[in-house]
Amino acid sequence: MVLSRRAVMLAPGLGWLALLLVIPCGIIFVHSFFERGIYGGIDYVFTLENYRRAIDPLYLRIFLASVRIALTATAIALLLGYPAAYFIALQAKRRQMPLLILIMLPFWSNYLIRTYAWIVLLNREGLINRGLIDLGVIDTPLSLLYNDFAVITGLVYGYVPFMILALYSSISKLGPDLREASTDLGAGAWRTFLRITLPLTLPGIAAGCIFVFVLSIGNFVTPDLLGGKQRAMLGNLIYGQFLTARDWPFGAALAFILIAIMMLLLSAQAWLVNREREIAP
Amino acid sequence: MRADPVKTWLTAHLGLVYLFLYGPIVVLVVLSFNASGLPTAWTGFSTDWYAKLIQNEAILASVRNSLIVAFSSTAISTVIGTLLAMGLEEGRPSGALEALVTAPMIIPDIVLAIALLSFYTLLHMTLGLHSIILSHAVFNIAFVCTVVRTRFKHFDRSIIEASIDLGAGEFTTFRRVTLPVIAPGVIAAALLSFTLSIDEFIIAYFTAGAGRASTTFPMQIYSMIRFGVTPEINAAATIVMGVSFMLVFLSQRLSREVE
Amino acid sequence: MDANVLLEINGISKSFGAITAVDDLTLRIAPGEFFALLGPSGCGKTTLLRMIAGFETPDRGQIRLAGSDMTGIKPNRRPINLMFQSYALFPHMTVAGNIGYGLEMEGVRGPGLKRRVGEALELVQLGALADRKPHRLSGGQRQRVALARALIKRPKLLLLDEPLGALDRKLREQMQIELKRIQRDTGITFIVVTHDQEEALTMADRIALLGQGRIVQLGRPRELYEAPVNRFAADFIGMMNFLPGKVTADGVALPGLGVFQASNRSDLPQGVEVVMAIRPERLRLYAEARAAALPGAVEGTAYLGQDLIVHLRLDATGQMLIARLTAGHDLTRDITTGQRLWCDWPGAQARLLAD
């Protein structure tokens, strides 16, 4: 009786996800083991060629470049985000919420438009080049756009709010008691930070970093709009296989490599969270 | 009183972070009122770009498409996601179900996009606004479910038993007690779902099918950006951000009033 | 049907997985009684309450209310109301909205509803707060709203789950008296679940002390306090000194202390191991040695205002005894730690416990 009522509530949602998430992902998983058809379709012949091709130097280079860009963006977001999150968590309770809302507000507007803003800022006639020339710092405009720098800037800009949010929830859970106890026992501010705050907020750091890394490495829009033509990332590569090269099996294999990376990182995070629970039940 | 140097430094840092976050947005807004439309020089205040924007048939059509997609997928996912949240909260926790509900929120959009395209192609489905709606509901159901569940975590579940104890049936209890109490969560979830759907680009791009008929607003913006820097985008950006921020402000006000 | 029985619980059991919460329990409650289910957490008292309310289904056994079987009757169809431990007030409704909810479910509307809500508010003295939302009420006010909401339907039986648990001490004592008054005025049968023995002793006409899903002792407050049936009951209700010993021909031999008399269990055969239980307030203390009094040293004292608690370590065995002296006692002024004192107790105040 109770069970059937629960089933009625669960069925539409779980059904939807099964039909439009599980089955489609299953399909591309299966596709990734087939050969590409001559006219862009799929020949149902089993092969591991798609996965072998993924580690071909040509693609491996793109793959490693994606990892490097995503890692750099993650590191910068962390360095930018930690002091900000820490400072917000130190404020009086009623001031924390407005400060956080201000951090998250840009996320609520369109990602494309926010990326576009950086084209306006960074291009050769853009605001930053104009400013620098007007100030006499440089004579000829710098190439700030269509390179890794622009992509990393765009990724940090897009995802630093998530980093701050993840760090904030970890730091604010700590409360002032532990810090004060450490100071009371004779540790200075810097040592208190290194010995108490930093280790205890490690799960928050991990959560924020994994979040930013996963969103960055799978990103399509930012490298597409801010990166140069040769500087494709994993997301663009998958996009290309589906919409231009019409090699769906290979695109599917790349997508699964992306999912595998993500799963690996998320289980690492789950492990960290479990460890934290054991430390502080 | 001496100023704490660490505190001064942290304050300055937070200020810079806000500058980083809002600087680009402010630049777009200012430029949208620049007569020349270019960042090179200020040539006077003008609303011409807004006038141009509302005369642009392609943009207007794409806005209409986006609204259809966002409203439909929000309606579907608000109902289904809320039911899902209630169902999940009622039973024993299950790792597999949790994973299934979390997956759409963390799977890279590009992966979901190609998976759905492959699925629709295999079914020989005609693509259009309807397939975008179906696809957007996938992640929206997950987000709605998650937001509504945080609301469930916050309230004392014994009020449901209290209502039954006082003689109410299951449906009356839902209508008079459960729904009003989770309503702020449901409204917040619907707003989030609407925002996500109206901003979503890549899944829409893959599942819209050929032809301009089902171009959504982000798809339109994307092709304008690819085409080159057009001042019209500044005006569009200003409007979009204005509307988004207003919605956020509204939902904040709403949830505070209920508390 | 017996007119003197309102609630009849016949051999009910309930398990959750491997844990038996209620174990073959039988109980009868008379109409108009103020009954307390007392016990430590995990003793099954809340499960029993929830089975009476209908939120849990017994694995075995039967619950009858006023002669009719409650099996299969949903909680919303039982003439029983429950006051939740968390109060479970509807946060989006006003005080009046909360209180009127149950009557609305019966189809009462308009002036009739308004009048009865007004009466209920009057009963719990909350008339001025009718339009407030629960989050703007104090803990004591919330408790009164929850009580009024449960009472307004005039149930045959009102169940109260730890009704005073969330209140501070002063308010709790005040509400104990208030609850008794309301119960008397309305004539409704109350069953209170509590882990606080003082609360049960003050309010209840009868108490069932529960342990591990069974009734350990059932009786009036005075019986439970003065004649506990076993060590668990003696320990749970009030403070108690325990001295292990053995039954002999002359009385009870306490090793190292001598032979003493007890007020009960003259039926026990010689050689049986027993525990002698003496309430702290029954111990008598003397400043000088006297016949049959046991010498000891004061280890510490605790001043409680009207009473003084003295911890005395017996010279002979090293056992610790706790004595409670009232403020009027001669010794209370000048007891110091380390001081030597002598103690004894009247045989009529010592009870033997066999388990």
Side-chain angles (χ1 to χ4, degrees), chain A residues 5-6 13 20 28 80 87 99 102 105 112-113 116 157 220 224 239 262 266, chain B residues 11 13 18 20-22 80 87 90 106 116 170 202 205 218 222 226 234 237:
Chain A
R5 202 173 71 94
R6 186 173 181 233
L20 290 171
I28 57 166
L80 215 56
F87 189 61
L99 286 173
L102 270 182
L105 197 54
L112 276 168
I113 284 173
Y116 162 76
Y157 183 68
F220 165 76
D224 187 63
Y239 172 94
M262 205 184 71
L266 289 172
Chain B
T11 314
H13 177 86
Y18 283 125
F20 176 59
L21 288 176
Y22 287 94
I80 293 182
E90 210 165 82
I106 54 173
L116 285 164
E170 247 166 45
I202 197 102
Y205 192 76
Y222 178 75
R226 290 313 306 256
N234 301 337

mmCIF file of all heavy atoms in Angstrom, chain A residues 5-6 13 20 28 80 87 99 102 105 112-113 116 157 220 224 239 262 266, chain B residues 11 13 18 20-22 80 87 90 106 116 170 202 205 218 222 226 234 237:
data_model
loop_
_atom_site.group_PDB
_atom_site.id
_atom_site.type_symbol
_atom_site.label_atom_id
_atom_site.label_comp_id
_atom_site.label_asym_id
_atom_site.label_seq_id
_atom_site.Cartn_x
_atom_site.Cartn_y
_atom_site.Cartn_z
ATOM 1 N N ARG A 5 2.237 3.653 -3.377
ATOM 2 C CA ARG A 5 2.115 5.105 -3.414
ATOM 3 C C ARG A 5 3.467 5.724 -3.739
ATOM 4 O O ARG A 5 3.589 6.629 -4.529
ATOM 5 C CB ARG A 5 1.635 5.596 -2.052
ATOM 6 C CG ARG A 5 0.984 6.941 -2.070
ATOM 7 C CD ARG A 5 0.405 7.205 -0.706
ATOM 8 N NE ARG A 5 1.461 7.439 0.253
ATOM 9 C CZ ARG A 5 1.901 8.667 0.553
ATOM 10 N NH1 ARG A 5 1.379 9.700 -0.023
ATOM 11 N NH2 ARG A 5 2.857 8.818 1.435
ATOM 12 N N ARG A 6 4.512 5.160 -3.121
ATOM 13 C CA ARG A 6 5.857 5.654 -3.352
ATOM 14 C C ARG A 6 6.253 5.403 -4.812
ATOM 15 O O ARG A 6 6.861 6.244 -5.454
ATOM 16 C CB ARG A 6 6.826 4.954 -2.397
ATOM 17 C CG ARG A 6 8.208 5.517 -2.477
ATOM 18 C CD ARG A 6 9.126 4.950 -1.423
ATOM 19 N NE ARG A 6 10.420 5.566 -1.566
ATOM 20 C CZ ARG A 6 11.565 4.902 -1.694
ATOM 21 N NH1 ARG A 6 11.565 3.592 -1.667
ATOM 22 N NH2 ARG A 6 12.698 5.532 -1.831
ATOM 23 N N GLY A 13 9.663 10.316 -12.649
ATOM 24 C CA GLY A 13 11.020 10.864 -12.615
ATOM 25 C C GLY A 13 12.069 9.839 -12.982
ATOM 26 O O GLY A 13 12.917 10.069 -13.841
ATOM 27 N N LEU A 20 15.837 8.796 -20.913
ATOM 28 C CA LEU A 20 16.559 9.872 -21.597
ATOM 29 C C LEU A 20 17.948 10.145 -21.016
ATOM 30 O O LEU A 20 18.591 11.099 -21.406
ATOM 31 C CB LEU A 20 15.721 11.149 -21.576
ATOM 32 C CG LEU A 20 14.489 11.072 -22.468
ATOM 33 C CD1 LEU A 20 13.580 12.269 -22.250
ATOM 34 C CD2 LEU A 20 14.868 10.977 -23.934
ATOM 35 N N ILE A 28 25.555 5.310 -26.548
ATOM 36 C CA ILE A 28 26.856 5.799 -27.022
ATOM 37 C C ILE A 28 27.990 4.910 -26.504
ATOM 38 O O ILE A 28 29.012 4.776 -27.166
ATOM 39 C CB ILE A 28 27.135 7.296 -26.708
ATOM 40 C CG1 ILE A 28 27.033 7.584 -25.230
ATOM 41 C CG2 ILE A 28 26.263 8.205 -27.536
ATOM 42 C CD1 ILE A 28 27.638 8.933 -24.887
ATOM 43 N N LEU A 80 42.347 32.197 -6.047
ATOM 44 C CA LEU A 80 41.489 33.369 -6.015
ATOM 45 C C LEU A 80 40.346 33.174 -5.013
ATOM 46 O O LEU A 80 39.942 34.095 -4.298
ATOM 47 C CB LEU A 80 40.905 33.563 -7.417
ATOM 48 C CG LEU A 80 40.670 34.955 -7.946
ATOM 49 C CD1 LEU A 80 41.943 35.758 -7.912
ATOM 50 C CD2 LEU A 80 40.144 34.861 -9.384
ATOM 51 N N PHE A 87 37.372 34.905 3.934
ATOM 52 C CA PHE A 87 36.996 36.220 4.439
ATOM 53 C C PHE A 87 35.480 36.319 4.630
ATOM 54 O O PHE A 87 35.006 36.859 5.634
ATOM 55 C CB PHE A 87 37.491 37.297 3.469
ATOM 56 C CG PHE A 87 37.335 38.689 3.997
ATOM 57 C CD1 PHE A 87 37.985 39.081 5.160
ATOM 58 C CD2 PHE A 87 36.542 39.617 3.334
ATOM 59 C CE1 PHE A 87 37.846 40.369 5.654
ATOM 60 C CE2 PHE A 87 36.399 40.907 3.828
ATOM 61 C CZ PHE A 87 37.049 41.280 4.988
ATOM 62 N N LEU A 99 26.860 38.649 0.757
ATOM 63 C CA LEU A 99 28.154 38.549 0.080
ATOM 64 C C LEU A 99 28.192 37.327 -0.837
ATOM 65 O O LEU A 99 28.705 37.384 -1.953
ATOM 66 C CB LEU A 99 29.286 38.472 1.109
ATOM 67 C CG LEU A 99 29.621 39.779 1.840
ATOM 68 C CD1 LEU A 99 30.633 39.533 2.946
ATOM 69 C CD2 LEU A 99 30.148 40.817 0.861
ATOM 70 N N LEU A 102 26.057 37.817 -3.931
ATOM 71 C CA LEU A 102 26.791 38.627 -4.910
ATOM 72 C C LEU A 102 27.803 37.785 -5.685
ATOM 73 O O LEU A 102 28.048 38.030 -6.855
ATOM 74 C CB LEU A 102 27.521 39.764 -4.198
ATOM 75 C CG LEU A 102 26.744 41.066 -4.033
ATOM 76 C CD1 LEU A 102 27.615 42.106 -3.346
ATOM 77 C CD2 LEU A 102 26.278 41.582 -5.385
ATOM 78 N N LEU A 105 25.628 35.566 -8.117
ATOM 79 C CA LEU A 105 24.718 36.253 -9.030
ATOM 80 C C LEU A 105 25.110 36.108 -10.515
ATOM 81 O O LEU A 105 24.258 35.763 -11.342
ATOM 82 C CB LEU A 105 24.624 37.731 -8.622
ATOM 83 C CG LEU A 105 23.453 38.533 -9.175
ATOM 84 C CD1 LEU A 105 22.138 37.857 -8.862
ATOM 85 C CD2 LEU A 105 23.456 39.937 -8.592
ATOM 86 N N LEU A 112 27.071 32.112 -22.205
ATOM 87 C CA LEU A 112 27.577 32.599 -23.498
ATOM 88 C C LEU A 112 27.868 34.092 -23.444
ATOM 89 O O LEU A 112 28.884 34.562 -23.942
ATOM 90 C CB LEU A 112 26.527 32.354 -24.590
ATOM 91 C CG LEU A 112 26.495 30.985 -25.236
ATOM 92 C CD1 LEU A 112 25.216 30.849 -26.056
ATOM 93 C CD2 LEU A 112 27.715 30.785 -26.117
ATOM 94 N N ILE A 113 26.942 34.816 -22.826
ATOM 95 C CA ILE A 113 27.086 36.264 -22.767
ATOM 96 C C ILE A 113 28.273 36.642 -21.890
ATOM 97 O O ILE A 113 29.048 37.539 -22.209
ATOM 98 C CB ILE A 113 25.772 36.900 -22.257
ATOM 99 C CG1 ILE A 113 24.753 36.886 -23.397
ATOM 100 C CG2 ILE A 113 26.006 38.308 -21.742
ATOM 101 C CD1 ILE A 113 23.377 37.315 -23.002
ATOM 102 N N TYR A 116 31.246 36.043 -23.881
ATOM 103 C CA TYR A 116 31.341 37.078 -24.903
ATOM 104 C C TYR A 116 31.957 38.359 -24.334
ATOM 105 O O TYR A 116 32.738 39.048 -24.997
ATOM 106 C CB TYR A 116 29.951 37.338 -25.490
ATOM 107 C CG TYR A 116 29.817 38.645 -26.224
ATOM 108 C CD1 TYR A 116 30.350 38.800 -27.491
ATOM 109 C CD2 TYR A 116 29.162 39.729 -25.633
ATOM 110 C CE1 TYR A 116 30.240 40.008 -28.162
ATOM 111 C CE2 TYR A 116 29.047 40.932 -26.282
ATOM 112 C CZ TYR A 116 29.584 41.073 -27.547
ATOM 113 O OH TYR A 116 29.477 42.256 -28.194
ATOM 114 N N TYR A 157 36.692 32.692 -14.776
ATOM 115 C CA TYR A 157 35.585 33.626 -14.628
ATOM 116 C C TYR A 157 34.258 32.874 -14.458
ATOM 117 O O TYR A 157 33.444 33.209 -13.611
ATOM 118 C CB TYR A 157 35.515 34.532 -15.852
ATOM 119 C CG TYR A 157 34.438 35.574 -15.763
ATOM 120 C CD1 TYR A 157 34.528 36.602 -14.839
ATOM 121 C CD2 TYR A 157 33.313 35.533 -16.590
ATOM 122 C CE1 TYR A 157 33.541 37.559 -14.737
ATOM 123 C CE2 TYR A 157 32.324 36.490 -16.499
ATOM 124 C CZ TYR A 157 32.451 37.505 -15.566
ATOM 125 O OH TYR A 157 31.465 38.443 -15.470
ATOM 126 N N PHE A 220 32.830 23.283 -23.720
ATOM 127 C CA PHE A 220 32.874 23.482 -25.157
ATOM 128 C C PHE A 220 32.889 24.969 -25.521
ATOM 129 O O PHE A 220 33.690 25.425 -26.337
ATOM 130 C CB PHE A 220 31.671 22.799 -25.828
ATOM 131 C CG PHE A 220 31.443 23.260 -27.235
ATOM 132 C CD1 PHE A 220 32.265 22.803 -28.257
ATOM 133 C CD2 PHE A 220 30.442 24.172 -27.525
ATOM 134 C CE1 PHE A 220 32.079 23.252 -29.544
ATOM 135 C CE2 PHE A 220 30.255 24.622 -28.820
ATOM 136 C CZ PHE A 220 31.075 24.166 -29.832
ATOM 137 N N ASP A 224 35.860 27.242 -27.512
ATOM 138 C CA ASP A 224 35.362 27.513 -28.853
ATOM 139 C C ASP A 224 35.360 29.010 -29.160
ATOM 140 O O ASP A 224 35.710 29.424 -30.253
ATOM 141 C CB ASP A 224 33.943 26.957 -28.989
ATOM 142 C CG ASP A 224 33.444 27.052 -30.417
ATOM 143 O OD1 ASP A 224 34.053 26.397 -31.281
ATOM 144 O OD2 ASP A 224 32.477 27.802 -30.656
ATOM 145 N N TYR A 239 32.623 17.426 -29.889
ATOM 146 C CA TYR A 239 31.698 18.204 -30.708
ATOM 147 C C TYR A 239 32.021 18.003 -32.185
ATOM 148 O O TYR A 239 31.140 17.711 -32.993
ATOM 149 C CB TYR A 239 31.836 19.667 -30.302
ATOM 150 C CG TYR A 239 31.104 20.667 -31.165
ATOM 151 C CD1 TYR A 239 29.831 21.096 -30.812
ATOM 152 C CD2 TYR A 239 31.690 21.207 -32.298
ATOM 153 C CE1 TYR A 239 29.165 22.023 -31.580
ATOM 154 C CE2 TYR A 239 31.023 22.137 -33.077
ATOM 155 C CZ TYR A 239 29.759 22.544 -32.707
ATOM 156 O OH TYR A 239 29.101 23.469 -33.476
ATOM 157 N N MET A 262 35.848 11.773 -14.953
ATOM 158 C CA MET A 262 34.943 12.392 -14.001
ATOM 159 C C MET A 262 34.599 11.451 -12.851
ATOM 160 O O MET A 262 34.636 11.827 -11.683
ATOM 161 C CB MET A 262 33.677 12.757 -14.756
ATOM 162 C CG MET A 262 32.900 13.860 -14.172
ATOM 163 S SD MET A 262 31.410 14.032 -15.131
ATOM 164 C CE MET A 262 30.531 12.562 -14.646
ATOM 165 N N LEU A 266 35.258 11.915 -8.910
ATOM 166 C CA LEU A 266 34.142 11.974 -7.968
ATOM 167 C C LEU A 266 34.262 10.891 -6.902
ATOM 168 O O LEU A 266 33.910 11.124 -5.748
ATOM 169 C CB LEU A 266 32.809 11.857 -8.711
ATOM 170 C CG LEU A 266 32.456 13.096 -9.536
ATOM 171 C CD1 LEU A 266 31.241 12.828 -10.395
ATOM 172 C CD2 LEU A 266 32.214 14.302 -8.637
ATOM 173 N N THR B 11 40.298 42.017 2.668
ATOM 174 C CA THR B 11 39.244 42.910 2.176
ATOM 175 C C THR B 11 39.555 43.339 0.747
ATOM 176 O O THR B 11 38.692 43.298 -0.132
ATOM 177 C CB THR B 11 39.125 44.167 3.065
ATOM 178 O OG1 THR B 11 39.140 43.756 4.430
ATOM 179 C CG2 THR B 11 37.863 44.935 2.764
ATOM 180 N N HIS B 13 41.396 41.808 -1.388
ATOM 181 C CA HIS B 13 41.280 40.660 -2.273
ATOM 182 C C HIS B 13 39.826 40.414 -2.670
ATOM 183 O O HIS B 13 39.521 40.208 -3.840
ATOM 184 C CB HIS B 13 41.857 39.420 -1.593
ATOM 185 C CG HIS B 13 41.705 38.179 -2.400
ATOM 186 N ND1 HIS B 13 42.619 37.806 -3.349
ATOM 187 C CD2 HIS B 13 40.728 37.242 -2.439
ATOM 188 C CE1 HIS B 13 42.222 36.695 -3.922
ATOM 189 N NE2 HIS B 13 41.069 36.327 -3.388
ATOM 190 N N TYR B 18 35.242 40.678 -6.633
ATOM 191 C CA TYR B 18 33.987 41.260 -7.108
ATOM 192 C C TYR B 18 34.209 42.067 -8.387
ATOM 193 O O TYR B 18 33.388 42.036 -9.302
ATOM 194 C CB TYR B 18 33.347 42.147 -6.027
ATOM 195 C CG TYR B 18 32.673 41.344 -4.944
ATOM 196 C CD1 TYR B 18 33.000 41.507 -3.605
ATOM 197 C CD2 TYR B 18 31.701 40.395 -5.251
ATOM 198 C CE1 TYR B 18 32.399 40.765 -2.604
ATOM 199 C CE2 TYR B 18 31.091 39.639 -4.270
ATOM 200 C CZ TYR B 18 31.444 39.827 -2.946
ATOM 201 O OH TYR B 18 30.851 39.086 -1.980
ATOM 202 N N PHE B 20 36.486 41.503 -10.618
ATOM 203 C CA PHE B 20 36.685 40.494 -11.660
ATOM 204 C C PHE B 20 35.338 39.950 -12.138
ATOM 205 O O PHE B 20 35.110 39.768 -13.334
ATOM 206 C CB PHE B 20 37.557 39.371 -11.080
ATOM 207 C CG PHE B 20 37.777 38.197 -12.002
ATOM 208 C CD1 PHE B 20 38.366 38.341 -13.247
ATOM 209 C CD2 PHE B 20 37.418 36.913 -11.589
ATOM 210 C CE1 PHE B 20 38.580 37.244 -14.069
ATOM 211 C CE2 PHE B 20 37.630 35.817 -12.409
ATOM 212 C CZ PHE B 20 38.209 35.990 -13.658
ATOM 213 N N LEU B 21 34.427 39.698 -11.170
ATOM 214 C CA LEU B 21 33.129 39.113 -11.525
ATOM 215 C C LEU B 21 32.213 40.115 -12.224
ATOM 216 O O LEU B 21 31.474 39.762 -13.142
ATOM 217 C CB LEU B 21 32.435 38.556 -10.275
ATOM 218 C CG LEU B 21 33.030 37.288 -9.669
ATOM 219 C CD1 LEU B 21 32.303 36.921 -8.386
ATOM 220 C CD2 LEU B 21 32.940 36.136 -10.668
ATOM 221 N N TYR B 22 32.248 41.361 -11.764
ATOM 222 C CA TYR B 22 31.264 42.319 -12.277
ATOM 223 C C TYR B 22 31.811 43.255 -13.343
ATOM 224 O O TYR B 22 31.034 43.830 -14.102
ATOM 225 C CB TYR B 22 30.642 43.104 -11.117
ATOM 226 C CG TYR B 22 29.705 42.235 -10.334
ATOM 227 C CD1 TYR B 22 30.138 41.555 -9.200
ATOM 228 C CD2 TYR B 22 28.405 42.018 -10.775
ATOM 229 C CE1 TYR B 22 29.305 40.702 -8.509
ATOM 230 C CE2 TYR B 22 27.557 41.174 -10.093
ATOM 231 C CZ TYR B 22 28.008 40.511 -8.962
ATOM 232 O OH TYR B 22 27.171 39.674 -8.306
ATOM 233 N N ILE B 80 7.319 16.600 -11.975
ATOM 234 C CA ILE B 80 7.956 15.286 -11.864
ATOM 235 C C ILE B 80 9.077 15.296 -10.825
ATOM 236 O O ILE B 80 9.219 14.363 -10.028
ATOM 237 C CB ILE B 80 8.494 14.851 -13.253
ATOM 238 C CG1 ILE B 80 7.312 14.594 -14.192
ATOM 239 C CG2 ILE B 80 9.354 13.589 -13.138
ATOM 240 C CD1 ILE B 80 7.699 14.109 -15.554
ATOM 241 N N GLY B 87 9.041 11.074 -3.151
ATOM 242 C CA GLY B 87 9.202 9.622 -3.156
ATOM 243 C C GLY B 87 10.530 9.218 -2.536
ATOM 244 O O GLY B 87 10.598 8.285 -1.739
ATOM 245 N N GLU B 90 10.648 9.628 1.234
ATOM 246 C CA GLU B 90 9.787 8.758 2.015
ATOM 247 C C GLU B 90 10.437 7.415 2.329
ATOM 248 O O GLU B 90 10.233 6.857 3.381
ATOM 249 C CB GLU B 90 8.482 8.530 1.256
ATOM 250 C CG GLU B 90 7.312 8.310 2.158
ATOM 251 C CD GLU B 90 6.020 8.464 1.382
ATOM 252 O OE1 GLU B 90 5.640 7.482 0.734
ATOM 253 O OE2 GLU B 90 5.422 9.541 1.416
ATOM 254 N N ILE B 106 25.919 16.356 -13.013
ATOM 255 C CA ILE B 106 27.371 16.409 -13.112
ATOM 256 C C ILE B 106 27.897 15.931 -14.457
ATOM 257 O O ILE B 106 29.038 16.191 -14.793
ATOM 258 C CB ILE B 106 28.041 15.607 -11.965
ATOM 259 C CG1 ILE B 106 27.490 14.188 -11.939
ATOM 260 C CG2 ILE B 106 27.848 16.285 -10.638
ATOM 261 C CD1 ILE B 106 28.235 13.324 -10.950
ATOM 262 N N LEU B 116 21.937 12.092 -26.272
ATOM 263 C CA LEU B 116 20.546 12.300 -26.654
ATOM 264 C C LEU B 116 20.399 12.336 -28.172
ATOM 265 O O LEU B 116 19.462 11.760 -28.723
ATOM 266 C CB LEU B 116 20.018 13.588 -26.014
ATOM 267 C CG LEU B 116 19.726 13.453 -24.523
ATOM 268 C CD1 LEU B 116 19.583 14.823 -23.862
ATOM 269 C CD2 LEU B 116 18.464 12.623 -24.294
ATOM 270 N N GLU B 170 -4.809 11.413 3.113
ATOM 271 C CA GLU B 170 -3.506 11.617 2.497
ATOM 272 C C GLU B 170 -3.497 12.822 1.555
ATOM 273 O O GLU B 170 -2.572 13.624 1.554
ATOM 274 C CB GLU B 170 -3.100 10.364 1.718
ATOM 275 C CG GLU B 170 -1.925 9.670 2.333
ATOM 276 C CD GLU B 170 -1.752 8.285 1.769
ATOM 277 O OE1 GLU B 170 -1.851 8.137 0.540
ATOM 278 O OE2 GLU B 170 -1.508 7.357 2.561
ATOM 279 N N ILE B 202 24.347 24.021 -25.350
ATOM 280 C CA ILE B 202 24.917 22.930 -26.136
ATOM 281 C C ILE B 202 23.936 21.783 -26.376
ATOM 282 O O ILE B 202 23.858 21.232 -27.473
ATOM 283 C CB ILE B 202 26.237 22.437 -25.507
ATOM 284 C CG1 ILE B 202 27.046 21.623 -26.514
ATOM 285 C CG2 ILE B 202 26.065 21.617 -24.288
ATOM 286 C CD1 ILE B 202 28.146 22.420 -27.093
ATOM 287 N N TYR B 205 21.507 22.901 -28.917
ATOM 288 C CA TYR B 205 22.168 22.958 -30.215
ATOM 289 C C TYR B 205 22.179 21.586 -30.886
ATOM 290 O O TYR B 205 21.952 21.455 -32.077
ATOM 291 C CB TYR B 205 23.601 23.448 -29.989
ATOM 292 C CG TYR B 205 24.352 23.847 -31.226
ATOM 293 C CD1 TYR B 205 24.088 25.051 -31.863
ATOM 294 C CD2 TYR B 205 25.354 23.032 -31.737
ATOM 295 C CE1 TYR B 205 24.797 25.438 -32.985
ATOM 296 C CE2 TYR B 205 26.075 23.407 -32.858
ATOM 297 C CZ TYR B 205 25.793 24.605 -33.486
ATOM 298 O OH TYR B 205 26.493 24.985 -34.588
ATOM 299 N N PRO B 218 19.983 31.275 -26.840
ATOM 300 C CA PRO B 218 21.439 31.078 -26.754
ATOM 301 C C PRO B 218 22.051 30.653 -28.088
ATOM 302 O O PRO B 218 23.164 31.064 -28.414
ATOM 303 C CB PRO B 218 21.586 29.965 -25.710
ATOM 304 C CG PRO B 218 20.374 30.074 -24.871
ATOM 305 C CD PRO B 218 19.286 30.485 -25.815
ATOM 306 N N TYR B 222 24.934 32.644 -29.920
ATOM 307 C CA TYR B 222 26.165 31.956 -30.318
ATOM 308 C C TYR B 222 26.509 32.266 -31.775
ATOM 309 O O TYR B 222 27.648 32.625 -32.083
ATOM 310 C CB TYR B 222 25.995 30.444 -30.122
ATOM 311 C CG TYR B 222 27.191 29.626 -30.549
ATOM 312 C CD1 TYR B 222 28.344 29.591 -29.769
ATOM 313 C CD2 TYR B 222 27.171 28.880 -31.730
ATOM 314 C CE1 TYR B 222 29.455 28.844 -30.162
ATOM 315 C CE2 TYR B 222 28.264 28.130 -32.128
ATOM 316 C CZ TYR B 222 29.404 28.115 -31.338
ATOM 317 O OH TYR B 222 30.496 27.377 -31.720
ATOM 318 N N ARG B 226 29.803 34.207 -33.144
ATOM 319 C CA ARG B 226 30.689 33.606 -34.134
ATOM 320 C C ARG B 226 30.839 34.510 -35.352
ATOM 321 O O ARG B 226 31.872 34.573 -35.984
ATOM 322 C CB ARG B 226 30.153 32.238 -34.601
ATOM 323 C CG ARG B 226 30.200 31.111 -33.587
ATOM 324 C CD ARG B 226 31.518 30.984 -32.865
ATOM 325 N NE ARG B 226 32.679 30.858 -33.713
ATOM 326 C CZ ARG B 226 33.336 29.733 -33.943
ATOM 327 N NH1 ARG B 226 32.948 28.621 -33.380
ATOM 328 N NH2 ARG B 226 34.397 29.719 -34.704
ATOM 329 N N ASN B 234 25.389 43.366 -26.988
ATOM 330 C CA ASN B 234 25.490 44.097 -25.718
ATOM 331 C C ASN B 234 24.112 44.412 -25.163
ATOM 332 O O ASN B 234 23.840 44.240 -23.978
ATOM 333 C CB ASN B 234 26.250 45.407 -25.915
ATOM 334 C CG ASN B 234 27.654 45.170 -26.448
ATOM 335 O OD1 ASN B 234 28.196 44.078 -26.273
ATOM 336 N ND2 ASN B 234 28.216 46.162 -27.095
ATOM 337 N N ALA B 237 22.520 41.256 -24.041
ATOM 338 C CA ALA B 237 23.144 40.818 -22.793
ATOM 339 C C ALA B 237 22.604 41.602 -21.617
ATOM 340 O O ALA B 237 22.287 41.036 -20.565
ATOM 341 C CB ALA B 237 24.657 40.992 -22.890
#
